[in-house]
Amino acid sequence: MAITKNPLIRYKILDKCFRNPYKTYYFETLLETINSTLYEITGDDKGIKTRQLRDDIAFMRSSEGWSIELGEFNDGKKKVYRYEDLNFSINNAPLNEIELNEFQSAIHVLSQFEGMPQFDGIQEIIAKLKYDLKAEETKQPFIGFDTNQDLKGMEHFSLLYNSTQNQLPLKITYQDFKSQHPYTFTLHPYYLKQYNKGWFLFGLHEEFMKSDWNVAIDRIIKIETLNKKFIPNKTIDWNDYFSDIIGVSKQVDGEIEEIVLHFNELTGKYMENKPIHETQKHKWLNDDTLEVKIKVIPNYELGRFILSYGESVTVIEPKHLKEEIKNRILSGLNNY
């Protein structure tokens, strides 16, 4: 294979083209797509030639690449290139040598930023990358990450990820905790969100035309992609959407309120170093009590969060939240 710059970028572009059931990609179309995308990403206007594209496809088909099953379908005198299985993606396949080298280079670059305040948290990312890439070489684990390997529904994650990335509508068979029987609906996926070790998919529920429909991955029974037009998200900025809540549930008519909490000394020290929310402001009222104020829309996850700290926290404001937490604690006492 000829050696040129940006091979992994080209493979990712081809992968996306081969998975797209709504556009016809001939050889020359693939070449144009790669060169135009490379120009947008890198500013390189030279692009690649026909021979390089043939080499790229050959590599992706090889065992050194991803052993892709690429169909060549006749369309008159031209051939259309498309995966035999449209659910396949090189993103789901094990890392090959090129990807491993790319990751090792990325780790080296990321390591240069350790210790800089604007890159807080990057040490954890670097450690996880190093650990994951060298997992086969390590006889015994020496570091643990806060993940739930046994989470039900994770077998669907790759399909959800690729469908969201490539804008493919989904047919989902689902059973929430309140339903006695599964039900099926069409969802146009927009955003994947992790919270409390679980994953949630947000998108447009086609029947209700609700753009922030929330699907818990562990309640999915069956899922498949649909060969139909995708309805894009035109209304929701997801960073803004989650900025005024804790967790993933948001009341339709919910309003932002100032939540005032008092923590005891020991837990207060913890809350100083690990804020509840980006709006948090706190101050010590005395040696024993830390007052924390956040501005969010009250929801189920906020209540669960407060209850998780038991006797070490007291709700001061708003009054309705204080009564809600009080009643839930009293109800819990009936269990004992």
Side-chain angles (χ1 to χ4, degrees):
M1 183 179 68
I3 300 176
T4 62
K5 295 181 179 180
N6 307 310
L8 194 55
I9 295 177
R10 299 198 306 272
Y11 302 142
K12 298 292 185 181
I13 297 169
L14 286 171
D15 179 66
K16 188 173 182 179
C17 293
F18 296 154
R19 295 189 74 250
N20 191 339
Y22 305 112
K23 186 171 181 178
T24 301
Y25 284 99
Y26 305 113
F27 189 88
E28 58 269 24
T29 315
L30 292 172
L31 189 63
E32 292 171 2
T33 302
I34 287 178
N35 287 334
S36 62
T37 307
L38 283 176
Y39 178 73
E40 292 175 4
I41 297 174
T42 67
D44 182 5
D45 58 356
K46 295 181 180 179
I48 64 170
K49 305 299 182 183
T50 298
R51 179 181 175 183
Q52 182 63 61
L53 177 55
R54 295 191 189 282
D55 288 342
D56 286 351
I57 294 175
F59 176 77
M60 293 178 72
R61 278 175 159 155
S62 71
S63 58
E64 289 78 15
W66 295 273
S67 301
I68 66 171
E69 296 182 3
L70 184 65
E72 297 183 15
F73 307 98
N74 292 323
D75 184 11
K77 295 182 179 181
K78 295 184 177 182
K79 289 184 177 180
V80 177
Y81 292 81
R82 187 172 292 153
Y83 282 143
E84 297 282 0
D85 178 5
L86 293 179
N87 288 323
F88 174 83
S89 173
I90 63 175
N91 294 321
N92 301 337
L95 296 177
N96 60 32
E97 186 175 353
I98 287 182
E99 289 178 310
L100 285 171
N101 290 335
E102 291 280 347
F103 273 115
Q104 294 289 359
S105 297
I107 289 173
H108 178 73
V109 173
L110 287 173
S111 298
Q112 311 302 311
F113 297 99
E114 286 187 290
M116 298 179 66
Q118 61 266 48
F119 291 94
D120 286 344
I122 204 167
Q123 294 90 344
E124 180 182 347
I125 298 172
I126 293 171
K128 189 175 192 309
L129 282 172
K130 287 180 177 179
Y131 181 75
D132 288 346
L133 293 178
K134 295 182 178 180
E136 293 183 356
E137 303 172 6
T138 307
K139 293 182 179 179
Q140 293 293 334
F142 60 88
I143 184 171
F145 293 94
D146 192 17
T147 57
N148 186 355
Q149 299 295 337
D150 298 321
L151 179 66
K152 183 181 177 182
M154 284 305 293
E155 66 272 17
H156 303 304
F157 186 82
S158 292
L159 179 56
L160 293 174
Y161 177 90
N162 287 302
S163 298
T164 304
Q165 181 184 45
N166 296 300
Q167 299 187 329
L168 300 174
L170 299 171
K171 180 181 179 182
I172 297 176
T173 302
Y174 193 75
Q175 185 173 9
D176 57 51
F177 289 109
K178 297 180 181 179
S179 302
Q180 293 183 348
H181 304 287
Y183 53 93
T184 301
F185 58 92
T186 297
L187 188 83
H188 299 257
Y190 295 154
Y191 194 82
L192 278 163
K193 172 75 172 178
Q194 187 181 35
Y195 176 72
N196 196 25
K197 301 183 184 179
W199 282 95
F200 301 83
L201 176 66
F202 289 78
L204 173 71
H205 190 298
E206 190 172 277
E207 181 181 356
F208 300 145
M209 293 304 291
K210 181 173 172 55
S211 298
D212 62 346
W213 195 263
N214 183 342
V215 176
I217 191 173
D218 60 317
R219 304 308 301 168
I220 294 176
I221 296 175
K222 183 181 178 182
I223 188 169
E224 58 184 287
T225 56
L226 296 175
N227 187 11
K228 63 186 303 183
K229 186 176 181 181
F230 182 83
I231 303 176
N233 170 36
K234 297 181 179 179
T235 59
I236 299 177
D237 180 325
W238 293 105
N239 288 328
D240 182 64
Y241 182 88
F242 292 107
S243 67
D244 51 16
I245 61 173
I246 289 176
V248 294
S249 62
K250 195 169 190 175
Q251 302 294 331
V252 176
D253 299 319
E255 295 183 358
I256 296 176
E257 299 184 56
E258 183 173 68
I259 313 298
V260 182
L261 306 172
H262 285 182
F263 290 91
N264 66 17
E265 180 184 3
L266 184 60
T267 307
K269 291 179 179 179
Y270 176 78
M271 290 300 163
E272 275 189 304
N273 297 322
K274 191 175 181 181
I276 304 169
H277 189 260
E278 63 188 44
T279 61
Q280 174 168 322
K281 294 181 179 181
H282 55 259
K283 65 179 180 180
W284 286 96
L285 300 181
N286 50 55
D287 292 341
D288 301 326
T289 305
L290 178 74
E291 181 176 80
V292 171
K293 294 182 179 181
I294 59 174
K295 293 183 178 181
V296 296
I297 299 173
N299 61 0
Y300 175 77
E301 289 91 334
L302 175 63
R304 288 293 299 270
F305 172 82
I306 294 171
L307 288 168
S308 71
Y309 281 94
E311 75 284 357
S312 64
V313 63
T314 303
V315 179
I316 305 301
E317 295 288 347
K319 298 298 182 183
H320 70 86
L321 180 60
K322 182 175 183 177
E323 287 300 312
E324 177 190 335
I325 298 299
K326 177 182 175 181
N327 291 333
R328 290 174 69 175
I329 292 174
L330 291 173
S331 296
L333 287 174
N334 294 329
N335 295 330
Y336 298 94

